[in-house]
Structure formats: C-alpha cells, structure tokens
Amino acid sequence: MAGPLSHIRVLDLSRIMAGPWAGQILADLGADVIKVERKGVGDDTRKWGPPFLKDKDGNDTSEPGYYLSVNRGKRSVELDLASPADQAVVKALAARSDILLENFKVGTLARYGLGRDDLKAVNPRLIYCSITGFGETGPKRDQVAYDFMIQAMGGLMSVTGERDDAPGGGPQKVGVPIVDILTGMYATIASLAALARRAETGEGEHIDVAMLDVSVAALSNQAMNYLVSGATPTRKGNKHPNIQPQDVFAVADGHIALAVGNDEQFRRFAEAIGRPELADDPRYATNVERVRNLDVLHPLIVERLATESLDHWIAAFGEKAVPCGPINTVPRVFEDPQVRHRGMLRELPHPLAGKVPQVVSPMRFGNAPLAFETPPPLLGEHTAEVLAELGLDRTGD
C-alpha cells in the first residue's frame, strides 16, 4: 500500500463531516481506515441528497455527493453499538488500531463501554481523538453543534459578507463547511503529533478537539486586530482589513480578484493600469498609507479597471507579475490547466456507478506517493471482510 501512513490503522467511529474529513485525510495518506456505521442506517450524510451519483444508465444510486466527498479510501462496517456483541467487535478493532476518531456527544461512548478509559484497557497505545462541538469540558459540553451555527458563534460570520449598509449586506457563512473541514484538519494534526510522541514514549493519548475552539482559532488576524486595537472587526465584503488593494473589482465584461501584497507589487500594479505616479504618491506609496487612504484610492482603481476586459487585465497584470485571477465557477475550476496538470480530479472505480469522480488530496510526497484507488464504500461493504480478519463469523446474525 502506498503513502507514508501505510503502517497505521484507524478506527473511524465518526459521522457527518469533521471526523470523516480527518479519516479521509488519514486514508489518503495510506492508513487502513475502518469506518463503523450504524447498522441499517449508516452515516447521516448518506441521506444528504440530492444530488446522487448516477449509475451507468443515468439513474440515481443511493450514494449522495456529500457522503462521497468525505469517505474515500475507507472500509465500511455496519455495527449496532447498543449490542454487547458489536461492542465487543469495536473493542477488538480498537485493540488492533493506532488511532480512533469519534464525534459522539460527550459521554455517549462511555455508556456503551467504549469510552477512552474502556479502550485504553484493551490498547494502552491507542490514540483516542474525540471531536465535539464545544469540547469535553465547560457549560456547553453537552450541546449538539453544526458547522453553520459554529461559524456564527465563533465570530466568522461577523467578518464575512458585505457591510451592513451595502447591497446584500449582513452576516454570511463561508460557502463550504469550513469549521468542519478545519476541525478535521486539526484532529488529523493532533493525531499525527500523538503518533510521533508515542514513538518516543510508547503511550497512547486522549485528544479533545472542539469545533468552537477551532472557529475561534480561525479568526487569526481578525482576532489579533481586535486584541491589539480594541476595535471590533466588521464585515468589509472582499476588502482585506490589513492589505490594499485586495478586493474584487468590476471590469468591462466581468470581475477580477486582485491581491496586491506589498509595495513593490503596487508599483508594478500602478504601471500596469497606466498610473505609475500612484506608486510615488505619499498617500499610496506604502501599504500602511494605502489602507489609511483607501477611500480615495479605491475609486481611482474602480474607474480604471472598468475600462478594459478581463482578458486584458489578466494579461497586463500577468506581464507585471501582479497577483490576480478570475472568479471561477466550480466547473471552470476543474477546467483550469493548472488544476488539470496537478491531477486534483480523479475517477475511481465504483461498484454501483462504474466510476466516481473524486477531488483528491493536495499533498504530494516524493518518497511515499499517495495512491487513490478505493472509492467511498457502500454501507457495510466490508463488514464480512473485517470480521473475518478478527476471526469472527457473524453469518448467522
């Protein structure tokens, strides 16, 4: 098996997005990820459609796009965690696993005899990663959370969207479940750090990752802007709060995203738009002054960019090495020659549809290349296979 984690087994008891995203990252890295799903029901996202994957005749299969986006490379096992027999299966799997991922409400798995202390007894080296909305401590520890509400509670929606006084103004969520994705990434990083420590100490670990914590951490520069100034960050649309000009600008036939990141780039930008004198104007010569005088600079840029086409500006800024880009739709993203060259879109064989498209991992390794061969599994597709590996015969169940 390819990948730097081909020696690692992961027991994935999670569902929906954050935990499965972590599991998919680990699977992409080569780990054997066993996804335990509720018997007869499966992961919640198996019902989150349409759209559904089409079969060879163009008919809907049972596999929705949401589920397919986050479960590549895993083996699916159906179990009933309320059943003592299936609890024993989970313990047997935990005894042979390196990492366990779970995102049940706090205390749920302990009631089934599958909590951290229970599984530590069968595998002291197990890295037990718990993902919850609010963490395992604190007044909200028992509450259920979803990405949308955490984007709101964690402050991200307060700095995302147009100004309240602008057309379409008001709070906006990010267009993908960004807190779930970041939580899955933090859970992966924490699990790999625990693996590295275990190699030195031989000890397992209990990791507590909370979506709200992640959302607060993701405030990054906006949080620090507030902490050092005392001024509450507000929604500014596409305008960057600290670097200018960075915004979306209308051109003659569409829009362009412009990201001028330093003073030298601004000089080249000013030359590209035929206004080289702007770079020598003390109001705009430095980023600090451009931010302070944006109310004067911005209209000048808007007026100039509106006079030419998108192709014209892409070429002009490209010649001057000024960072910019078109606002691509999702279909256009996959038509981009750089995205095509990097092989971000692959097709894997699928038992119902013949093949399934997958947006693969962005990680590239020279010595341990990743292999994308196993599609998101059907519900319970590998139950018999995994039980046989444990020496269990459940054909009579």
Side-chain angles (χ1 to χ4, degrees):
M1 182 181 295
L5 295 184
S6 59
H7 59 298
I8 296 299
R9 171 171 284 178
V10 178
L11 179 55
D12 187 357
L13 302 182
S14 67
R15 66 266 188 231
I16 304 180
M17 187 68 174
W21 189 263
Q24 181 167 269
I25 293 173
L26 295 168
D28 283 344
L29 290 170
D32 177 17
V33 180
I34 298 175
K35 180 180 179 67
V36 173
E37 302 192 65
R38 184 179 172 191
K39 200 167 189 175
V41 177
D43 191 308
D44 298 44
T45 60
R46 289 187 181 275
K47 304 295 189 295
W48 288 7
F52 293 90
L53 180 67
K54 303 291 186 182
D55 64 17
K56 297 175 183 178
D57 298 320
N59 301 312
D60 282 348
T61 68
S62 58
E63 308 297 291
Y66 201 112
Y67 166 80
L68 294 170
S69 74
V70 75
N71 287 290
R72 175 180 58 252
K74 305 176 186 180
R75 296 194 286 169
S76 173
V77 175
E78 286 185 275
L79 295 176
D80 177 4
L81 297 188
S83 159
D86 285 355
Q87 291 165 11
V89 172
V90 172
K91 288 183 177 180
L93 288 169
R96 300 185 181 197
S97 296
D98 299 285
I99 298 170
L100 180 146
L101 302 170
E102 65 93 3
N103 60 352
F104 286 82
K105 289 180 64 176
V106 176
T108 298
L109 288 180
R111 291 199 298 273
Y112 293 137
L114 302 174
R116 162 60 183 161
D117 291 338
D118 302 303
L119 298 188
K120 182 178 180 181
V122 301
N123 184 358
R125 292 171 54 83
L126 182 66
I127 294 161
Y128 192 108
C129 183
S130 297
I131 301 169
T132 57
F134 298 99
E136 298 200 335
T137 60
K140 291 184 170 65
R141 65 191 292 269
D142 294 321
Q143 295 186 20
V144 175
Y146 285 91
D147 176 275
F148 177 60
M149 61 179 281
I150 298 297
Q151 285 196 42
M153 295 178 67
L156 289 177
M157 289 177 64
S158 77
V159 295
T160 304
E162 269 296 349
R163 303 188 321 269
D164 289 345
D165 61 346
Q172 287 287 318
K173 70 179 181 68
V174 179
V176 296
I178 191 65
V179 177
D180 275 333
I181 291 170
L182 289 174
T183 300
M185 294 176 72
Y186 271 108
T188 303
I189 293 167
S191 296
L192 295 179
L195 270 181
R197 181 178 181 275
R198 191 185 72 175
E200 299 297 320
T201 67
E203 296 178 339
E205 184 60 274
H206 184 199
I207 299 167
D208 173 6
V209 180
M211 292 172 64
L212 182 61
D213 295 351
V214 169
S215 186
V216 173
L219 288 174
S220 57
N221 62 306
Q222 294 280 26
M224 195 55 63
N225 288 346
Y226 161 69
L227 293 172
V228 301
S229 71
T232 302
T234 58
R235 289 179 291 278
K236 299 180 184 298
N238 292 306
K239 291 182 176 64
H240 196 286
N242 304 108
I243 309 169
Q244 285 297 333
Q246 274 201 35
D247 204 344
V248 171
F249 293 92
V251 296
D253 58 352
H255 292 83
I256 190 170
L258 185 66
V260 176
N262 57 49
D263 297 339
E264 177 55 35
Q265 288 178 4
F266 182 72
R267 179 170 294 279
R268 298 197 301 269
F269 165 77
E271 294 170 356
I273 66 172
R275 296 290 305 274
E277 73 279 4
L278 294 178
D280 295 316
D281 189 318
R283 295 173 296 173
Y284 316 131
T286 67
N287 180 70
V288 170
E289 293 305 319
R290 289 194 295 276
V291 173
R292 286 175 175 164
N293 294 288
L294 186 62
D295 57 337
V296 181
L297 176 62
H298 186 78
L300 297 177
I301 297 174
V302 168
E303 181 180 9
R304 183 69 186 99
L305 294 186
T307 63
E308 301 286 354
S309 69
L310 178 61
D311 287 344
H312 170 88
W313 290 123
I314 292 290
F317 293 143
E319 183 179 341
K320 294 290 186 179
V322 175
C324 68
I327 314 296
N328 282 336
T329 62
V330 174
R332 285 181 63 87
V333 169
F334 293 111
E335 294 168 4
D336 185 284
Q338 183 66 20
V339 175
R340 285 179 174 271
H341 175 81
R342 297 291 289 176
M344 286 300 299
L345 178 61
R346 311 280 180 92
E347 288 189 335
L348 307 184
H350 191 274
L352 298 182
K355 58 185 179 181
V356 57
Q358 290 284 282
V359 182
V360 298
S361 172
M363 292 180 278
R364 302 289 184 268
F365 292 82
N367 294 328
L370 308 188
F372 306 104
E373 300 169 349
T374 307
L378 305 180
L379 177 59
E381 181 179 350
H382 304 95
T383 302
E385 174 182 294
V386 171
L387 292 179
E389 292 172 4
L390 297 174
L392 301 174
D393 181 3
R394 301 283 293 279
T395 56
D397 287 359

